[in-house]
Amino acid sequence: MRDEAEKRIWTVVCRNLQSDLGESVANSWIKPLSFDRIEEDVVYLGAPSMFMRDWVQNNYAERVLHHFRRESPSVKNVEIVVSDDNNVVSNDEIRNISAQDSKKQAKAEEQNDISIPLDPKLTFENFVVGKPNELAYAAALRVAESDKVAFNPLFLYGSVGLGKTHLMNAIAWSIKSRDPKRTIAYLSAEKFMYQFVKAVRYKDTMAFKEQFRSVDVLMIDDIQFICGKDSTQEEFFHTFNTLVDNKRQVIVSADKSPSDLEGMEERLKSRLGWGLVADIHPTTYELRLGILQSKAALASVSIPDKVLEFVAHKVTSNIRELEGALNRIIASAVFVGREITVESAREVLSDLLRTSERKVTIDEIQKKVANHYAIKLSDMSSARRLRQVALPRQVAMYLAKKLTTLSLPEIGKNFGGRDHTTVIHAVKKVESAMQTDASLAEDIRLLLQVLEKAS
């Protein structure tokens, strides 16, 4: 009877994890796990391989434990072990997770097109050039218009929302229009990793290798996502070398230069720095005003120059936020019928301007929190789960959510490529703990005070 009750708990946990993590992640990482037993308040789950065991333990064990504790509060830990199907309970009992055959079919369909869709708005014609991005723009244009490989790889880097993805899309559109026969694979590092892991899972790595190593142009966005992911780095390293040796173009973007990518293998850092490394600096007032003028010219309403100048002065964090501010002003005029003035713009953007005036960055938050708790800055992005590291990391995520306008996925990417559900969990945990832990509440108060003074 006890075994049956534990199986029912596992069934509920799986359903909740599917809702929490999303169907794609649950099918890839939770479905392959099999329930073994609960012994001395420890849950033992079986994984079909060491790779799968290590990945789940490092990336999802906290969420699995969280959901087990919701159903059985006495549970204190979750252990993932390598186990064959004869020794554990099969996950086929979980009715709401797709069957193996349908997953294989989905994999086959996805591999027919490994690229993510291009955005038709992100072209060279729509890219506003200024001092902060002129080198990156010139390099991207050279690669797009060259019949031969000019430099390999082209490595674009800069903070969130400065135009890296725009240039990547622009290169792809330009190559497609000049030579439709050239094969382009453009995808995020996350999707590259996801497809590689699926290939390992289904013992289909040869097809994966052939697919990626046969393209004319490989474009990987946000390469920092594979930092600390040793197996994916190994595969990307060999894919990179094969393409370069065969005179195929490789283009990569990241939030930091190759030498500053913590958790990236030294040999891969060296390879990524082989070609041309072009950084995109934070925007200047002139560039921001030029972008706003370009966008305003396409708007359905007339926007006074003084309003554009006001926004260019006040919204300084990144281009994405700048465009979002302009969209809010236009929406207020179109949907509410408000006249567009500096005063109305100030009111519409009041929350954004308050946050923008702080000018707190995630880098500053991580440095201050790491210093406060006497841990290494690299621990903010590491996979370590010890409380003396995990708690400061959660505090930093909480402060990032409170003091910046970054989205949850963007915050997660700055903490070692974690996903948005991890950030949500961290924020809720810190908010809850502050109600009962006076010491933690004081830590947060002091950190907020330090960060707001520094801004």
Side-chain angles (χ1 to χ4, degrees), residues 249-450:
Q249 182 71 61
V250 179
I251 306 165
V252 176
S253 79
D255 61 348
K256 298 181 179 68
S257 68
S259 60
D260 291 331
L261 289 173
E262 294 184 11
M264 189 73 76
E265 292 180 6
E266 289 301 321
R267 61 176 183 171
L268 191 48
K269 285 184 182 180
S270 175
R271 296 293 194 278
L272 292 172
W274 266 1
L276 176 63
V277 177
D279 60 336
I280 303 178
H281 297 283
T283 57
T284 60
Y285 167 75
E286 291 77 15
L287 178 57
R288 292 194 297 275
L289 183 58
I291 292 169
L292 289 171
Q293 289 170 338
S294 174
K295 299 294 180 183
L298 303 174
S300 57
V301 295
S302 176
I303 304 175
D305 290 340
K306 287 186 177 180
V307 173
L308 298 179
E309 292 165 4
F310 168 76
V311 176
H313 271 299
K314 292 294 184 179
V315 183
T316 61
S317 53
N318 60 58
I319 296 169
R320 196 173 299 160
E321 193 170 277
L322 189 72
E323 293 177 350
L326 184 62
N327 289 337
R328 286 167 68 171
I329 291 171
I330 294 171
S332 175
V334 173
F335 300 140
V336 184
R338 299 183 64 180
E339 181 185 1
I340 299 179
T341 65
V342 171
E343 290 71 25
S344 67
R346 188 189 302 275
E347 185 177 339
V348 169
L349 304 177
S350 59
D351 60 323
L352 183 61
L353 297 180
R354 284 196 302 271
T355 305
S356 182
E357 285 167 1
R358 295 190 185 112
K359 298 179 182 176
V360 178
T361 66
I362 281 192
D363 285 343
E364 290 170 328
I365 291 170
Q366 291 179 339
K367 288 175 184 176
K368 295 295 184 185
V369 174
N371 183 62
H372 181 83
Y373 285 102
I375 64 171
K376 296 179 181 177
L377 182 59
S378 59
D379 285 332
M380 290 293 169
S381 301
S382 74
R384 297 180 65 197
R385 297 172 58 240
L386 296 174
R387 176 175 169 78
Q388 58 263 42
V389 171
L391 178 61
R393 189 162 55 222
Q394 289 172 332
V395 167
M397 289 183 189
Y398 167 81
L399 292 171
K401 175 67 170 65
K402 188 175 182 66
L403 297 178
T404 76
T405 57
L406 296 178
S407 67
L408 295 175
E410 288 170 339
I411 292 173
K413 283 185 177 181
N414 282 274
F415 286 85
R418 288 170 166 83
D419 70 20
H420 71 286
T421 58
T422 303
V423 180
I424 293 172
H425 172 67
V427 171
K428 289 182 177 178
K429 185 171 182 179
V430 171
E431 287 176 341
S432 175
M434 287 171 63
Q435 304 300 316
T436 56
D437 188 336
S439 176
L440 176 62
E442 179 64 12
D443 284 345
I444 299 293
R445 188 190 68 78
L446 289 173
L447 285 165
L448 282 170
Q449 189 176 46
V450 169

Side-chain angles (χ1 to χ4, degrees), residues 150-222:
F151 21 74
N152 226 358
L154 170 61
F155 190 101
L156 305 172
Y157 78 93
S159 296
V160 172
L162 295 183
K164 301 186 299 296
T165 298
H166 191 145
L167 285 177
M168 297 281 275
N169 273 260
I171 292 170
W173 281 122
S174 180
I175 291 174
K176 280 177 174 289
S177 65
R178 293 182 69 255
D179 187 357
K181 293 182 180 178
R182 291 182 75 183
T183 56
I184 302 173
Y186 171 48
L187 66 163
S188 65
E190 184 177 9
K191 185 173 181 182
F192 178 87
M193 179 190 69
Y194 180 68
Q195 295 219 10
F196 169 61
V197 172
K198 286 200 301 181
V200 171
R201 178 182 169 191
Y202 293 112
K203 299 179 174 60
D204 198 19
T205 55
M206 287 306 298
F208 173 90
K209 294 175 190 293
E210 290 170 6
Q211 189 173 35
F212 279 94
R213 299 180 190 186
S214 63
V215 299
D216 295 310
V217 183
L218 176 63
M219 309 178 73
I220 304 290
D221 220 345
D222 290 324

Side-chain angles (χ1 to χ4, degrees), residues 55-95:
W55 186 268
V56 175
Q57 192 74 55
N58 291 333
N59 293 277
Y60 301 113
E62 287 185 7
R63 301 308 299 151
V64 174
L65 178 59
H66 169 73
H67 287 288
F68 259 108
R69 282 179 170 169
R70 288 178 59 183
E71 305 305 319
S72 180
S74 63
V75 170
K76 292 184 172 59
N77 201 4
V78 170
E79 291 291 335
I80 316 293
V81 298
V82 178
S83 180
D84 61 46
D85 291 338
N86 294 326
N87 295 329
V88 294
V89 177
S90 171
N91 276 355
D92 288 341
E93 295 175 4
I94 313 306
R95 301 296 184 186

Side-chain angles (χ1 to χ4, degrees), residues 23 27 31 91-92 94-106 201-202:
E23 185 175 357
N27 283 347
K31 178 185 175 182
N91 276 355
D92 288 341
I94 313 306
R95 301 296 184 186
N96 67 322
I97 299 181
S98 302
Q100 183 90 345
D101 289 343
S102 64
K103 186 65 180 175
K104 289 184 178 180
Q105 178 65 25
R201 178 182 169 191
Y202 293 112

